[in-house]
Amino acid sequence: MSLKNLNVLNFRTILTLATVVLSLVHLVQCQDVNDYNNQFNNPAVLPLITQVVYRQISNLTAVIGQDIGNQSSFCIKDWNADWNRAFNFSSNLDFLGSCIQKTNGDIIRRVCTAAEMKFYFNSFFERSESANYLRPNKNCNLTSWVSGCEPGWACSVGSNQQVDLNNAKVIPTRNLNCQACCEGFFCPHGITCMIPCPLGSYCPLATLNKTTGVCEPYSYQLPPGQPNHTCGGASTWADVSSSSELFCSAGSYCPTTTSRLTCSSGHYCRMGSTSEKSCFKLTSCNPNTANQNVQAYGVMLLAALSTLLLIIYNCSDQVLTARERRLAKSREAAARSARETAKARQRWRAAKDAAKKHASGLQAHLSQTFSRKKDGKDPEKLKILDRVKSDRDDNPLPPPHPSTSGASLPSNVTSGEHKKEPSDLMRIMHEIEDNPDNYQGFSIGTEDMSASAQVNVPKGKQTHTQIFKYAYAQLEKERAQQPENELLTFSGIVKLATHPETRKRPLIEVSFKDLTLTLKAKNKHLLRCVTGKIKPGRITAVMGPSGAGKTTFLSAVAGKAIGCTMTGLIHINGRNDSIHSYKKIIGFVPQDDIVHGNLTVEENLWFSAKCRLSTALSKLDKVLVVERVIEFLGLQTVRASLVGTVEKRGISGGQRKRVNVGLEMVMEPSLLILDEPTSGLDSASSQQLLRALRREALEGVNICMVVHQPSYALFKMFDDLILLAKGGLTVYHGPVKKVEEYFAGLGIKIPERVNPPDYFIDILEGIVMPGGSSGVIHEDLPVRWMLHNGYPLPPDMQQKAARLARSSMNATPANETDPAGAGMVEHSFAGELWQGMKSNVELQRDKIRLNFLKSKDLTNRRTPGVFHQYRYFLGRVGKQRLRESRIIAMDYLILLLAGACLGSIVKVTDQTFGAAAYTYTIIAVSLLCKIAALRSFSLDKLHYWRESASGMSSLAYFLSKDTIDHFNTVIKPAVYLSMFYFFTNPRSSFADNYFVLFCLVYCVTGIAYVLAIVFEPGTAQLWSVLLPVVLTLIATQPKDSEFMKIFANLCYPKWALEAFIISNAERYYGVWLITRCGSLLKSGYNLHEWSLCIVILILIGMVSRVIAFFCMMIFQKK
């Protein structure tokens, strides 16, 4: 090429580049499309024009957001963010460039202004009957209907009219140059402008189906009478239930609003998707798939969880059994060591006694006269001192805690008071010699009596083996001393009284005078004019025929009599104190064997000891107390056995009865009241129980018990007897030794080979008439007792007393009137009904008053506080739940099946955001979790009533149950969702669904607590089934009245369902924006109220628990 040609080429290139640069500078300065005349087909200029158009369209966000945002705030959290998700086309603006070329740059005059968009979007909030028609407006009305008013078409504004897209008030006149809507835009029916299609939609140009006359893929038809009118673009954007033609179809994805691609293999595309999502591993995703098939995960989880639950079902007991086996080995080793030590000590004592005997015999031979004088003076004292000395020499450890009673009194005899021992000794001997019948026992320190059999326990934390060695060494020592204590020889009594480390429990003497209890409802006497006292260190038996008021008498003494009017006096230690002030050192054994069946014997006793013994006691002392009770009640062989329930066999009935008594013995009471403890026991078991109680009496415990016709051997083991006749009148109250003597004085002699208790009961029942010529009848026995003791007689009994005084007259009482029935007044039906209602109200008032009664503590025993008891309750409930793990495993398995069934049958639909599936979920989870939560309190009511009456913390009991149930609250939602979520595959995340379901389970568990406490088990189960169904129906029905709205707001399913739907609806954006707002508007839900729903569910659960706790405190056994 020549130099001349080269210069010409360079000049042309430079000139072209300069022209382009100058054009670009000019285009940058232009802010309106009209400034780019005749440059729309220029490839270099078109992108710049497209950016200018897109910038003007994007500016509509702020304008529309201010006006429409207020109306749509319930369905849109951040208008700018949601608008950008729907109309952010910055990644691909090809559809704008195509439209600019098609309209020859007239796009801005065809795009809807802010006023027209407001007009269109506001139509969705007006609930019009059809989403395809708009209200008449300036451009489309009865007098003006251009072709641009038809669906899929749009018109332009006149060239002489300035268009301001941000004008939100005035709709411009737009009726010129009407033509088909551009691709990527939709032109609604009844408006003459174009609106960009949102992301997730597919808006191609329509094609006419000549067969049907429908413009496909849309559903509108060509207007009649307009042969030049053709199919246009997209027609309407509405919620998916009204019109789904704009939505990108399921199984495909639309990266732009003008292109649609088929979902490839290994991916899935939901309706309205802008991109394809990869499927999880192990899931099958064929081409053109809308959802990934994650049922394989569900099946795997179902198999894994079912296997795990089966393992738990079959091996749950092994966790506690292994631990119990280890403790049993330590205990057996300690017992074996203690027995060997005791045998070695016995051999040593035998050798030492033989040596002493040989030495004393040698001394007698050497000085016979001197030894006779000395033997006549000092042998008993020498024996006592030698015994004490040997005991002290054998003691390898310092004495344990001076008292195993948290409220024990200071010891009367201490190591620093040896000089006072002779005077105390003489006083005790003189008292015994002067009045041996009034001997009331001695306080034998349970720890101190065995102080010589301790083991070296290191300071600090002790092992189980060391603790058991200590306890069994003490027990072996006590067993060796038991024969001497039972004989109570003079030397033994002196030893017990003068032991330097003896300690006593606080003594409680209960005296009562003219004690009368009258039933309020029927004005009937249950007890009448009962006077006497029950003394510490003695066992008092209360006997009488049925209806004599024996249990009523015990309830009155224990301060548990409710629904009665009580008159007379009850004094504690001679003072007018409330018996409730001594609650911590009073044990009450109910007639029913109220023992936890899913705990072992040792666990039952150990829990009672931890909660009721003094906090000043060490663990060593508490273990010793429990071991001693197990030893004396003969429960060693069954200590590790479950007590058993109705469904599961445990220990025998007699052993269960002894455990029932042991629960009160382990707290070292000063007053022990027992209601028929020997009922159901054979003679041997009854005597074993009485021997254990006799040992308690030797420590100064005041024991009063109701018995039914005991054997003669058992009868002779009692110290005192209270014999009641029908009507609660006293027939005899005094020592058992003198009862036969008293009745013989009345002319009633017991026949030979007849058990005295049986004979007395038969007489009081009227079965046997007293023999002899005394003329005594059983109705006269209470009067004779009152006359015998000089007690004042009630007015209605003075007639009998007068008849008895006329000893010369042989009158019969056949014609006497019944004074009790003489004063009876017959009421009408209404009067009786009123009296019954009044009595029930008074009874409930007495129950509440008794439950919330606060009395000053006079025992000085510091028992564990609420926090420590909460820990003890937590451990107990945890063990019970482990032993009930089979039932819990079945609960989980049922939840798994429920989730799998509901997930397979009910699908989460896009139209309602899964409202139907979540509704069934709420019903199923509420029903299953409520029924399971009923077991927490329905089955333990009797146990709670007994424990709360003994002074245990109700708050600790309730909180421990609720805390353990939180495990189910955490696990059950995950168990259910592991099936339901993977079978339905909703758009909301697993975490969102879990959190809502967690709050729902927490809520319904609290409601179940109320039902379990207030109602009987059968009624509570019925309510648990009925409530979820009824409340869910109310929450999902249309609220036509204000009352129904208020009532629905009180139903927890309303808030749970709203939280579920909101969590799911937030995942729908882009083309789903109108569907989201329409569905939430129809349901009355608010996207901002998710936190409120969660708070209300938790609040209902908390309020329900507070109500349940107070109901637990108020509602007591009838």
Side-chain angles (χ1 to χ4, degrees), residues 921 925 973 976-977 993-1002 1060:
T921 291
V925 173
Y976 177 82
L977 286 176
N993 285 270
Y994 172 81
F995 194 71
V996 177
L997 205 58
F998 167 82
C999 296
L1000 175 64
V1001 175
Y1002 179 81
F1060 275 124

Side-chain angles (χ1 to χ4, degrees), residues 568-579:
L569 299 175
I570 297 180
H571 286 172
I572 310 299
N573 293 334
R575 297 184 298 180
N576 190 18
D577 294 329
S578 172
I579 192 67

